[in-house]
Amino acid sequence: MLEIRELSKIYENYGEAGRLEVLDNINMEVSREEFVSIIGPSGCGKSTIFNLLCGTEEKSGGTVTLDNIQAKPGDFSYMPQSDLLMDWKRVWENIALPLRIKGVPRFLAKERVMSESSLYGLSGFENAWPSELSGGMRQRAAFFRTMLSSGRIMLLDEPFAALDAINRERMQEWLMEVLEREKRTILLVTHSVDEAVFLSDRVYVLTPRPARVKCCVEIGLKRPRGCELLTSPEFNDYKAVLLKNLAEGGEGNG
Ligand SMILES: Nc1ncnc2c1ncn2[C@@H]1O[C@H](COP(=O)(O)OP(=O)(O)OP(=O)(O)O)[C@@H](O)[C@H]1O
Ligand SMILES: [Mg+2]
């Protein structure tokens, strides 16, 4: 479905050196309803890939197609690395933003948010201000907002990074339940190898900057997956492969 071919990004006029090469010929594929994760060292260019896909940055080379047609920014629903909730708008208004942009009347948008908020653990908080939510609730609100955007592919940039380990595991399980009810095509950036193995059908490992594809690992664990998996030998085998590739860094390209 989604094909990223030889994607490259160079920031020109950058510091002393004059240029910063961030992405070097990245190739990736994502099939319909597949859950694919990207892991790689901090600063290697993961968020840059998302910024190029949704058009907030210009690519230096390569092609991105969706069902063989050049992809447009509107094909992607983007949940950026920071939750970007607007503090001066109520929780429901934040969540309803993509509907309002599409021209859905205010009362209908509100109705939609109210009717689904319990799925996201937010019932009773629709009229609160973002500052009154916990970190996990803010992230669920940001995720709910992303679910209401009409892009065919969801781009999630470290959606659980702000949470401690226990809450993070809860959110991962919760995310899997939501996705079992409502299938989506997802590309996720994470620093957590556990999270990548637990959630994904496939994981791309990137090298340090300029990022190249070090390897792509199929995660053959059966679904539905529960937290008992986290201590299983197979789970640890996948983790070991990913950690080894991360530690090696270096060369790579597909
Ligand atoms: N707008 C920009 N202008 C210049 N350089 C940038 C810009 N955005 C990112 N960079 C540089 O590109 C490199 C990759 O940044 P990016 O945010 O993609 O990394 P990342 O892999 O997402 O890192 P992290 O895991 O820490 O979020 C960094 O060195 C960063 O300084
Ligand atoms: Mg990033």
Side-chain angles (χ1 to χ4, degrees):
M1 181 192 187
L2 176 70
E3 283 193 357
I4 299 173
R5 289 282 162 261
E6 304 195 344
L7 187 65
S8 67
K9 177 66 183 173
I10 298 165
Y11 286 107
E12 304 288 353
N13 309 320
Y14 193 91
E16 297 272 297
R19 68 208 293 273
L20 184 73
E21 192 180 6
V22 177
L23 302 175
D24 179 16
N25 287 315
I26 299 284
N27 290 302
M28 285 182 180
E29 280 143 41
V30 184
S31 305
R32 198 175 306 280
E33 296 185 0
E34 196 177 24
F35 196 121
V36 175
S37 292
I38 301 172
I39 59 176
S42 181
C44 76
K46 302 178 295 298
S47 298
T48 300
I49 296 177
F50 283 4
N51 288 326
L52 298 182
L53 293 180
C54 62
T56 48
E57 292 281 354
E58 198 97 18
K59 58 183 189 288
S60 308
T63 57
V64 180
T65 57
L66 204 57
D67 294 334
N68 301 315
I69 298 167
Q70 193 183 338
K72 315 176 290 301
D75 292 325
F76 301 96
S77 298
Y78 183 24
M79 178 172 169
Q81 198 161 357
S82 53
D83 66 34
L84 295 183
L85 296 179
M86 296 168 284
D87 288 328
W88 61 93
K89 287 193 177 288
R90 296 193 183 271
V91 169
W92 81 263
E93 293 174 304
N94 268 287
I95 295 168
L97 190 67
L99 300 176
R100 299 286 289 135
I101 288 171
K102 276 185 270 181
V104 176
R106 193 177 152 86
F107 77 100
L108 281 180
K110 183 167 191 181
E111 224 168 74
R112 171 86 186 269
V113 172
M114 300 305 268
S115 70
E116 294 178 24
S117 61
S118 64
L119 294 176
Y120 298 88
L122 293 168
S123 45
F125 290 88
E126 299 90 341
N127 282 309
W129 301 103
S131 59
E132 296 170 314
L133 302 184
S134 72
M137 291 166 88
R138 287 182 73 103
Q139 289 185 314
R140 289 198 297 273
F143 180 73
F144 187 3
R145 179 178 60 188
T146 312
M147 289 289 276
L148 293 180
S149 318
S150 39
R152 294 158 66 193
I153 299 186
M154 292 182 83
L155 306 177
L156 308 178
D157 196 348
E158 306 205 39
F160 310 128
L163 303 180
D164 60 61
I166 293 173
N167 281 312
R168 200 173 170 129
E169 271 178 33
R170 274 203 205 118
M171 286 287 287
Q172 290 162 4
E173 278 193 275
W174 168 83
L175 175 62
M176 283 221 288
E177 280 167 30
V178 172
L179 294 174
E180 264 156 42
R181 259 194 312 266
E182 193 176 337
K183 280 278 180 196
R184 292 292 180 114
T185 306
I186 298 198
L187 201 49
L188 171 102
V189 163
T190 179
H191 271 123
S192 160
V193 172
D194 286 82
E195 185 167 296
V197 175
F198 185 62
L199 294 171
S200 311
D201 299 307
R202 260 168 344 104
V203 181
Y204 284 98
V205 181
L206 301 183
T207 66
R209 195 182 59 238
R212 302 192 180 98
V213 174
K214 170 81 180 174
C215 67
C216 176
V217 179
E218 298 266 346
I219 309 294
L221 300 168
K222 286 195 303 287
R223 291 182 190 272
R225 299 175 186 170
C227 56
E228 68 288 346
L229 196 70
L230 297 172
T231 47
S232 74
E234 306 155 88
F235 187 88
N236 280 311
D237 291 346
Y238 284 116
K239 255 179 82 171
V241 173
L242 294 178
L243 286 168
K244 177 168 171 288
N245 277 285
L246 273 176
E248 279 172 9
E251 287 303 290
N253 225 348

